Amino acid sequence: MKSERPAGRGGIGGWVFLVVVLVIYAVTALVDYELVLSAVGVFTQVLDKVLPALALVFVLFFAVDLLLDPKRVEKYLGRRSGILGWLAAIVAGILSTGPVYAWYAVLHELRQKGMRTSLVAAMLYSRAVKLPLLPLLVYYFGLGYTMVLAFYLIGFSIIGGLLMERIGGMHALPD
Amino acid sequence: MLEQRLKQSARKTLRTFITILPIFVGMLLLTSLAVTLLPEQISAGLFGRHDLIDVLLGASAGSVAAGHPVASYILGGELLAEGVSLLAVTALIVSWVTVGVVQLPAEALLLGRRFAICRNLMCFLFAIMIPFLTVYTLQLME
């Protein structure tokens, strides 16, 4: 599970990354100016096509943040949650945003309170289905691919959860 | 109350936007340069020898890569356009968001070493299985 933020405080890492890329462009331009012009051409073409999908991504980010917070997640992932717990873990994983470190901390707290190992693993895995980013995935790979991939990711989040519980026990705490 | 919540969410979304924007633009610039510089080498060089090797390469690259999932979609999309197989691209995308070599120490610290290692190994295996299942399912649907 990857962090959703670049390294560095307050997302500075992303700007550093962009500056590094611009420096690479500048150095490449000194060697082969025509190549850089072609690359910029490719960039503007792709950006033009991706922008509408990106706009939708941010609308979804806003909606997810409005509807979900860690306290609400904690309420529905309790020890005796049963099938609803599985559902809540997977839905929470899909809807969760922000850096994964924050969720490690939340899940650490929930495990201390008795959250099942399987639900921890299922939630972490289902984070692979990035609801706000689905428009971008559809843009690049098509609706059919996106739906099939999301189906398998959700399915494997359940399989993974069950396997992790067999390996680590129902309420195994950090070693 | 609702107005305050809306403002709070809008601020957070704006912060997320500011965080993602440079990664998004940087990744698009980088992949544009890569596909211009190495259009055929990418598909004809590393990838394209055997399905399983392609998937292993994709899953390995995604496992050690760090960054926002947006970057994996852009990179995957451009690799696909350059002729890299959907199997390899799917392995890259899946492992990028499920396997976290870089985050392993933090995960081990907060959720347990055994849990973190087992989970990441399992996720790597899933990142090899899911591309085959996805591509074969898509072929069946055609």
Side-chain angles (χ1 to χ4, degrees):
Chain A
M1 182 66 63
K2 305 294 185 187
S3 167
E4 291 191 8
R5 282 185 186 171
R9 285 179 182 275
I12 288 171
W15 294 101
V16 172
F17 170 67
L18 181 58
V19 169
V20 169
V21 172
L22 291 174
V23 169
I24 291 170
Y25 262 73
V27 171
T28 311
L30 291 174
V31 180
D32 191 341
Y33 186 69
E34 291 298 317
L35 178 80
V36 169
L37 277 183
S38 300
V40 171
V42 172
F43 168 76
T44 50
Q45 278 175 11
V46 176
L47 188 67
D48 193 41
K49 288 178 186 170
V50 170
L51 273 179
L54 193 65
L56 187 56
V57 163
F58 287 104
V59 170
L60 289 172
F61 266 134
F62 177 72
V64 165
D65 185 72
L66 200 63
L67 299 171
L68 192 83
D69 58 68
K71 278 183 187 172
R72 196 169 288 183
V73 173
E74 191 171 335
K75 182 182 171 186
Y76 295 106
L77 291 171
R79 190 190 299 244
R80 291 171 188 159
S81 47
I83 292 172
L84 277 179
W86 279 94
L87 195 64
I90 291 166
V91 171
I94 292 170
L95 296 179
S96 67
T97 59
V100 73
Y101 303 113
W103 289 98
Y104 288 156
V106 171
L107 291 170
H108 171 79
E109 288 300 309
L110 290 170
R111 284 187 92 183
Q112 300 289 340
K113 291 172 185 167
M115 182 179 178
R116 289 173 61 180
T117 304
S118 54
L119 298 188
V120 176
M123 185 181 165
L124 285 173
Y125 200 84
S126 61
R127 274 174 60 91
V129 183
K130 300 284 178 194
L131 191 65
L133 299 179
L134 287 185
L136 205 60
L137 198 62
V138 170
Y139 166 73
Y140 272 112
F141 303 100
L143 184 63
Y145 174 87
T146 304
M147 288 174 71
V148 170
L149 182 63
F151 170 79
Y152 281 120
L153 286 171
I154 291 169
F156 274 83
S157 74
I158 297 168
I159 295 167
L162 292 171
L163 281 173
M164 283 305 297
E165 196 157 277
R166 279 194 74 87
I167 295 167
M170 188 178 273
H171 301 293
L173 293 170
D175 41 23
Chain B
M1 183 71 180
L2 180 66
E3 192 183 344
Q4 195 180 358
R5 183 91 179 97
L6 284 169
K7 278 182 183 173
Q8 195 182 12
S9 289
R11 273 198 296 270
K12 199 173 170 189
T13 305
L14 188 65
R15 277 202 301 273
T16 307
F17 180 82
I18 292 166
T19 303
I20 286 181
L21 190 65
I23 303 167
F24 186 82
V25 174
M27 206 59 211
L28 266 186
L29 280 167
L30 204 59
T31 48
S32 298
L33 187 63
V35 297
T36 309
L37 190 65
L38 311 158
E40 288 170 10
Q41 285 88 335
I42 292 171
S43 53
L46 280 174
F47 293 97
R49 290 173 188 165
H50 190 278
D51 284 351
L52 187 60
I53 294 172
D54 281 2
V55 168
L56 281 170
L57 277 171
S60 303
S63 299
V64 295
H68 198 279
V70 163
S72 73
Y73 297 170
I74 296 168
L75 183 62
E78 297 308 318
L79 285 173
L80 193 67
E82 290 304 321
V84 174
S85 72
L86 189 58
L87 283 168
V89 169
T90 305
L92 176 87
I93 291 171
V94 172
S95 60
W96 191 295
V97 287
T98 57
V99 186
V101 173
V102 177
Q103 289 82 16
L104 195 62
E107 186 176 344
L109 196 68
L110 287 164
L111 299 176
R113 194 172 60 238
R114 183 183 162 90
F115 177 90
I117 293 169
C118 289
R119 198 189 71 81
N120 278 277
L121 283 174
M122 186 187 71
C123 289
F124 185 78
L125 285 175
F126 287 177
I128 294 167
M129 294 161 70
I130 289 175
F132 287 104
L133 288 168
T134 303
V135 170
Y136 292 149
T137 304
L138 285 170
Q139 285 172 355
L140 285 174
M141 287 166 65
E142 282 174 1

Short mmCIF file of all heavy atoms in Angstrom, two decimals, chain B residues 8 24 26 36 68 80 82 89 96 101 124:
data_model
loop_
_atom_site.label_atom_id
_atom_site.label_comp_id
_atom_site.label_asym_id
_atom_site.label_seq_id
_atom_site.Cartn_x
_atom_site.Cartn_y
_atom_site.Cartn_z
N GLN B 8 -14.60 23.03 5.35
CA GLN B 8 -13.49 22.18 5.80
C GLN B 8 -13.11 21.18 4.70
O GLN B 8 -11.94 21.00 4.39
CB GLN B 8 -13.93 21.45 7.07
CG GLN B 8 -12.78 20.82 7.83
CD GLN B 8 -13.28 20.06 9.07
OE1 GLN B 8 -14.48 19.82 9.23
NE2 GLN B 8 -12.37 19.70 9.94
N PHE B 24 1.18 14.99 -10.72
CA PHE B 24 0.45 14.70 -11.96
C PHE B 24 1.17 15.30 -13.17
O PHE B 24 1.46 14.61 -14.15
CB PHE B 24 -0.97 15.26 -11.82
CG PHE B 24 -1.88 14.92 -12.96
CD1 PHE B 24 -2.53 13.70 -13.00
CD2 PHE B 24 -2.08 15.82 -13.99
CE1 PHE B 24 -3.37 13.39 -14.05
CE2 PHE B 24 -2.92 15.51 -15.04
CZ PHE B 24 -3.56 14.29 -15.07
N GLY B 26 4.28 16.49 -13.29
CA GLY B 26 5.64 15.94 -13.38
C GLY B 26 5.65 14.57 -14.03
O GLY B 26 6.49 14.27 -14.89
N THR B 36 8.84 9.64 -25.90
CA THR B 36 9.45 10.28 -27.08
C THR B 36 10.87 9.76 -27.28
O THR B 36 11.31 9.50 -28.40
CB THR B 36 9.50 11.81 -26.89
OG1 THR B 36 8.20 12.26 -26.52
CG2 THR B 36 9.91 12.52 -28.17
N HIS B 68 2.04 8.60 -5.79
CA HIS B 68 0.58 8.59 -5.87
C HIS B 68 0.11 7.61 -6.94
O HIS B 68 0.77 7.47 -7.98
CB HIS B 68 0.10 10.00 -6.19
CG HIS B 68 -1.34 10.20 -5.86
ND1 HIS B 68 -2.33 9.78 -6.70
CD2 HIS B 68 -1.94 10.74 -4.78
CE1 HIS B 68 -3.51 10.08 -6.16
NE2 HIS B 68 -3.29 10.66 -4.98
N LEU B 80 1.17 1.14 -22.15
CA LEU B 80 0.22 0.36 -22.96
C LEU B 80 0.16 0.92 -24.38
O LEU B 80 0.17 0.17 -25.35
CB LEU B 80 -1.17 0.42 -22.30
CG LEU B 80 -2.22 -0.56 -22.82
CD1 LEU B 80 -1.84 -1.99 -22.47
CD2 LEU B 80 -3.59 -0.24 -22.22
N GLU B 82 2.44 2.33 -25.88
CA GLU B 82 3.72 2.04 -26.56
C GLU B 82 3.90 0.56 -26.85
O GLU B 82 4.95 0.14 -27.32
CB GLU B 82 4.89 2.55 -25.71
CG GLU B 82 4.98 4.07 -25.65
CD GLU B 82 5.07 4.72 -27.03
OE1 GLU B 82 5.76 4.17 -27.90
OE2 GLU B 82 4.42 5.75 -27.23
N VAL B 89 1.20 -4.17 -17.51
CA VAL B 89 0.70 -2.88 -17.02
C VAL B 89 -0.22 -3.09 -15.82
O VAL B 89 -0.15 -2.34 -14.83
CB VAL B 89 -0.03 -2.12 -18.17
CG1 VAL B 89 -0.79 -0.92 -17.63
CG2 VAL B 89 0.98 -1.68 -19.23
N TRP B 96 1.64 -1.38 -7.44
CA TRP B 96 1.92 0.02 -7.06
C TRP B 96 1.07 0.43 -5.87
O TRP B 96 1.54 1.10 -4.96
CB TRP B 96 1.64 0.93 -8.26
CG TRP B 96 2.11 2.34 -8.15
CD1 TRP B 96 1.68 3.28 -7.26
CD2 TRP B 96 3.10 2.99 -8.96
NE1 TRP B 96 2.32 4.47 -7.47
CE2 TRP B 96 3.21 4.32 -8.51
CE3 TRP B 96 3.88 2.58 -10.03
CZ2 TRP B 96 4.07 5.24 -9.09
CZ3 TRP B 96 4.73 3.50 -10.61
CH2 TRP B 96 4.83 4.80 -10.14
N VAL B 101 7.04 -1.61 -0.41
CA VAL B 101 8.38 -1.87 0.14
C VAL B 101 8.86 -0.66 0.93
O VAL B 101 9.41 -0.81 2.03
CB VAL B 101 9.37 -2.23 -1.01
CG1 VAL B 101 10.78 -2.34 -0.48
CG2 VAL B 101 8.95 -3.53 -1.68
N PHE B 124 2.06 -9.23 -3.24
CA PHE B 124 2.91 -9.41 -4.43
C PHE B 124 2.41 -10.60 -5.26
O PHE B 124 2.31 -10.52 -6.49
CB PHE B 124 4.37 -9.60 -4.02
CG PHE B 124 5.31 -9.67 -5.19
CD1 PHE B 124 5.70 -8.51 -5.85
CD2 PHE B 124 5.78 -10.89 -5.65
CE1 PHE B 124 6.55 -8.57 -6.96
CE2 PHE B 124 6.64 -10.96 -6.75
CZ PHE B 124 7.03 -9.79 -7.40
#
